[in-house]
Each structure stands twice: as structure tokens, then as C-alpha cells.
Amino acid sequence: MKHLIMVASRIAAVGAALALLGPIAQVFSSDKEPRFPQLKMEQLDGQQRPLAEEIMKVSSLGLSGPYNPMLRSPVMGERMFKLLDYVRFNTSVPRKLNEFAILIQARLWTSQVEWYAHYPLAIKAGLSESVAADLKEGKRPASLQPDEAAVYDLCMELSTKHVVSDSTFQRARKLFSEQQVVDLIAVSGTYVTIAMLLNAAEEGVPPGKAPPLQPLPKR
């Protein structure tokens, strides 16, 4: 009971300019009725099935994760899926930086599924494990390259302050094209939406896998 009280007391936003302000991770009980029961291919109707078939071509999570709630609104889901296809595979932002931007939102929102799915992709794309480790702990990474620092500062300012200062914007523009800046903002916003779907639906990591993110302490 004391442990549960302590966990509950830590649920809060993280303050300060460079702090992570997303909701704290929820511990989803395995015996709790799922908010959106997992859909299976044989359950899908004629509008859902084409989307599910496209999802299965690229998803490491099958129809789980964000796709489970997305399939409940197949027209929206189809359009979101196309947006995800762009911001993941056709964006002008280099893959390492794009995955870094996704991890920033995963940490801000304590989105277990986003971190679980994108951490290995970010490392494979060249993001330093030490950078990811600092981010995971809610710290500004200590060993950022100039382009990584520009991504971090832009994404963090926009996400925590809801504005971008002139100095931060100009640093980004020295390193990135206008299209890259716009695409960086778009991938961040897209993964906020995905995190919202995941957290509201209480979608967890695959069975047998430990949630990768710990609650962040109050500051």
C-alpha cells in the first residue's frame, strides 16, 4: 500500500524549461478489462480490413499499439497511417534525427509503446546510446552533436513552452532547410497524437516485455 501511495504521489508534470512535462507512466493492470479489446483480422469489417492489411506490411507490433484504437475509426486511421508513412519513411529529416524527435515525444508523454518501438530504430540509425539514456532519465543529453542539439531544443521548447524562441529557431535554420524544420515539427505533432491514442487506450508493450520508461520525479 505504501508503494502504491508513493507511486500515485509521483504522478505530476516535470517543471523547468528543459524538463519533461508529459504525463507519468501508468501501470496497466493485466487483469483490467481493456479499454479497446485487441482486434483480430477475422473480426474486421470491409472498411477496416484494407487498412489492417497495409498496417501488417510495416508494423512490428502487428495490429496492436496505436493501430488497435486507430482501426476503430478507419477513415481517420487510414489518413493517420498515410501521415505516419510520410513522417517516418519519406520525411526530409535524416533518419537519426527523426527517430530522436520521436523519442523526445515518447519521453515527454511517457509513452511506453513509442519508446519500445522506436528506441532500437534510433540506435540503429546512429543515435548514441548515451544520448538516449540521458533522455530516458529526463535529462538534457550531455553529448549532443550540433544537429541533435538543434532538434532537442526546438522540440522541447515547442512541446513544453508551446513557442519557439528566435534564437532556437535560427540555430535550427542554420542546420536545416525550411522543409526539414516543418517536417521536424510535423513528426513531433504526429507522435503526440499517437502518444495520446496509446495512453488513453492504455495500450501496453507486448506481453512478457517490461515497460521501458520509469516515472519521472517531481521537480
Side-chain angles (χ1 to χ4, degrees), residues 6-7 9-15 18-25 104 106-112 133-139 156 213-219:
M6 289 177 62
V7 170
S9 69
R10 294 175 70 186
I11 298 179
V14 180
L18 296 177
L20 299 174
L21 297 176
I24 301 305
I104 289 169
R107 181 64 275 190
L108 281 168
W109 283 83
T110 312
S111 178
Q112 306 288 1
D134 282 347
L135 178 63
K136 187 176 181 180
E137 295 300 315
K139 305 172 184 176
M156 288 298 295
L213 300 175
Q214 295 298 317
L216 292 170
K218 260 187 176 183
R219 292 188 185 178

Side-chain angles (χ1 to χ4, degrees), residues 25-196:
Q26 292 173 292
V27 179
F28 303 141
S29 174
S30 60
D31 58 0
K32 182 181 178 181
E33 187 72 20
R35 292 182 172 179
F36 294 102
Q38 180 59 55
L39 291 173
K40 298 179 181 179
M41 191 68 77
E42 58 269 21
Q43 297 174 294
L44 305 182
D45 62 27
Q47 201 171 24
Q48 295 168 318
R49 185 176 290 272
L51 172 59
E53 290 173 348
E54 291 302 308
I55 289 169
M56 290 300 293
K57 293 177 183 178
V58 300
S59 173
S60 62
L61 300 169
L63 297 181
S64 65
Y67 303 118
N68 189 41
M70 281 167 57
L71 283 165
R72 264 68 184 194
S73 181
V75 175
M76 181 284 294
E78 179 185 7
R79 294 175 185 180
M80 177 62 73
F81 183 75
K82 289 179 178 178
L83 179 57
L84 286 167
D85 178 73
Y86 177 78
V87 299
R88 283 198 61 197
F89 303 115
N90 297 290
T91 177
S92 63
V93 180
R95 181 62 58 86
K96 178 188 74 170
L97 301 178
N98 203 58
E99 292 294 336
F100 184 35
I102 294 171
L103 288 187
I104 289 169
Q105 296 306 325
R107 181 64 275 190
L108 281 168
W109 283 83
T110 312
S111 178
Q112 306 288 1
V113 176
E114 281 186 348
W115 190 279
Y116 174 84
H118 287 275
Y119 172 80
L121 299 176
I123 300 304
K124 183 178 180 181
L127 188 70
S128 165
E129 291 185 8
S130 65
V131 167
D134 282 347
L135 178 63
K136 187 176 181 180
E137 295 300 315
K139 305 172 184 176
R140 189 182 197 280
S143 56
L144 292 170
Q145 298 297 314
D147 57 353
E148 295 167 348
V151 168
Y152 182 87
D153 292 340
L154 179 67
C155 292
M156 288 298 295
E157 274 192 30
L158 189 55
S159 297
T160 63
K161 296 183 177 181
H162 303 163
V163 295
V164 177
S165 67
D166 287 342
S167 59
T168 296
F169 186 82
Q170 291 305 322
R171 284 198 301 273
R173 279 293 289 117
K174 287 179 180 178
L175 293 168
F176 309 127
S177 68
E178 288 184 339
Q179 181 183 359
Q180 287 174 322
V181 172
V182 170
D183 282 356
L184 183 59
I185 295 167
V187 73
S188 299
T190 300
Y191 276 86
V192 168
T193 301
I194 295 300
M196 286 181 170

